[in-house]
Amino acid sequence: MHDDDETSGRVTLATVAKEAGVSMPTVSKVLNGRSDVSRATRAKVERLLDAHGYRRRAQSASRSPLVEIVFHELESVWAMELIRGVENVAKENRATVVLTESGTRHTPAPEWLPGVLQRRPLGVVLVFSTLPADIKRQLRAAAIPFVVIDPAGDPDPDVPSVGSANWAGGLAATRHLTDLGHRRVAIITGPEDMLCSLARLDGYRSAMAMAGLETDPGLTRFGDFHVQGGFAHAMDLLDGPGRPTAVFAGSDLQALGVLEAARVRGLRVPEDLSVVGYDDVPLAQWSSPPLTTVHQPLRHMAEEAARMLLRPDDPGTAAQRIELATHLVVRQSTARFEGS
């Protein structure tokens, strides 16, 4: 007695093999990410699999009890928060978390794909802003669910993703400063090619407009979300008579760089300069002074992403977007502006 779904799958693979002019084992190698297939053959088979709508049946017996999380870099302190969130949910499901570093901040490197197809994890959490069509196609064909944790902005609509309210966060940070009487408010956002950076910048501009203030282009900087970038931009901003009285840094790490630049320039925080960060990583409450910042629910974002992967109704078949709220956490790095 044959399983209808499985038989249907075999017919599809046989059809694909015939149309591609290759053997069934070659099609199987493509599905399993084997490296001993030429690039041209792999591309032809993948196109045909996609055209036939082939979806490999998920078989729990052949799956590794792993959840893979992929970053472009593991140095960032917020990466640890994401790892903890995924691990919390993985433990509940008796799964192990595997960490991979690959690619750029936009997408994983192509050489990552064959390895994950061989590992066959329960699912993959990707911390990137986009996912190339060939990677999506191959993961789906292999029935490996994936979710993007998207601090960067706006993924494709067919990609399941978890993000946060970046525009609202930028608005809250800047309104806090303008409500304290600051009129020259600088922003050091993130890279110019990341949508989260632009969304936080838009929130900043909206808050300035709400306060009846014009935004000075000279007070707008695009950073890199790291300490050194925040320090370098702040040193430049604080050099001269027209310096800002407050700085909104688009990440806590950049804010730490601003605090150090203020110290080097002989300015007291918050008496001479107010500073607001973004993320609310654990380190923020231990800076000197403790950092006022926008709380981005990184651990919760990672937990939601892992749940999307591991829920029983196969999250890989339908895309959805979850966007979590941000909120301001006021500590001691901001104060009312008492100048003229």
Side-chain angles (χ1 to χ4, degrees):
M1 183 174 178
H2 294 291
D3 183 307
D4 289 340
D5 288 341
E6 190 69 10
T7 301
S8 173
R10 288 189 184 127
V11 170
T12 301
L13 292 185
T15 303
V16 168
K18 182 178 180 180
E19 291 182 8
V22 300
S23 66
M24 284 276 287
T26 298
V27 176
S28 179
K29 287 179 181 180
V30 171
L31 280 170
N32 287 287
R34 292 273 296 275
S35 59
D36 53 339
V37 180
S38 73
R39 181 175 296 181
T41 298
R42 181 183 302 280
K44 183 192 298 183
V45 171
E46 286 171 355
R47 283 196 299 271
L48 288 168
L49 287 168
D50 192 49
H52 282 279
Y54 177 79
R55 294 293 180 268
R56 184 176 187 168
R57 289 183 66 200
Q59 298 181 11
S60 58
S62 66
R63 306 290 289 264
S64 300
L66 306 173
V67 176
E68 186 157 344
I69 180 167
V70 190
F71 298 88
H72 82 278
E73 63 177 6
L74 287 169
E75 298 176 0
S76 174
V77 291
W78 58 258
M80 291 306 301
E81 288 298 291
L82 297 179
I83 292 167
R84 289 189 181 102
V86 172
E87 190 146 57
N88 288 344
V89 176
K91 281 181 180 178
E92 295 171 1
N93 291 269
R94 298 182 179 180
T96 300
V97 176
V98 176
L99 306 180
T100 300
E101 187 175 48
S102 176
T104 68
R105 62 177 176 259
H106 296 293
T107 184
E111 56 266 24
W112 163 75
L113 191 59
V116 74
L117 293 177
Q118 290 180 352
R119 286 187 291 275
R120 289 194 54 74
L122 298 174
V124 181
V125 176
L126 299 125
V127 189
F128 297 95
S129 56
T130 57
L131 209 55
D134 61 328
I135 290 182
K136 290 187 287 186
R137 183 171 59 246
Q138 291 189 64
L139 290 175
R140 285 171 176 148
I144 298 175
F146 57 90
V147 176
V148 170
I149 294 180
D150 184 42
D154 186 18
D156 295 333
D158 66 334
V159 176
S161 65
V162 180
S164 67
N166 288 292
W167 180 85
L171 181 79
T174 311
R175 284 197 67 178
H176 173 65
L177 293 170
T178 59
D179 287 348
L180 288 172
H182 293 277
R183 295 295 176 262
R184 288 190 58 77
V185 180
I187 179 172
I188 307 172
T189 190
E192 196 167 3
D193 60 352
M194 293 181 72
L195 290 177
C196 67
S197 306
L198 300 177
R200 292 169 197 177
L201 177 59
D202 284 345
Y204 158 84
R205 288 171 172 159
S206 295
M208 294 290 283
M210 290 168 64
L213 302 172
E214 292 187 8
T215 53
D216 182 348
L219 298 182
T220 298
R221 303 298 171 91
F222 290 95
D224 59 4
F225 288 146
H226 292 290
V227 175
Q228 184 58 41
F231 174 78
H233 282 296
M235 287 292 285
D236 186 47
L237 286 166
L238 299 176
D239 184 23
R243 66 172 180 83
T245 63
V247 176
F248 166 37
S251 74
D252 290 341
L253 292 181
Q254 289 186 153
L256 294 179
V258 176
L259 294 180
E260 177 60 15
R263 186 192 67 80
V264 171
R265 293 295 190 206
L267 299 173
R268 298 166 301 162
V269 176
E271 292 86 354
D272 303 319
L273 181 72
S274 285
V275 180
V276 177
Y278 201 104
D279 289 329
D280 193 25
V281 296
L283 186 64
Q285 61 184 310
W286 298 107
S287 66
S288 183
L291 188 65
T292 295
T293 185
V294 175
H295 178 81
Q296 181 172 212
L298 294 168
R299 194 175 302 195
H300 188 193
M301 289 163 65
E303 289 172 345
E304 289 297 327
R307 289 190 185 103
M308 289 169 72
L309 287 178
L310 298 174
R311 68 187 184 187
D313 58 338
D314 189 8
T317 62
Q320 63 170 290
R321 168 77 174 176
I322 297 175
E323 187 163 281
L324 302 178
T326 54
H327 66 269
L328 186 72
V329 179
V330 178
R331 297 193 179 103
Q332 297 167 34
S333 65
T334 51
R336 179 162 296 280
F337 178 62
E338 303 293 351
S340 57

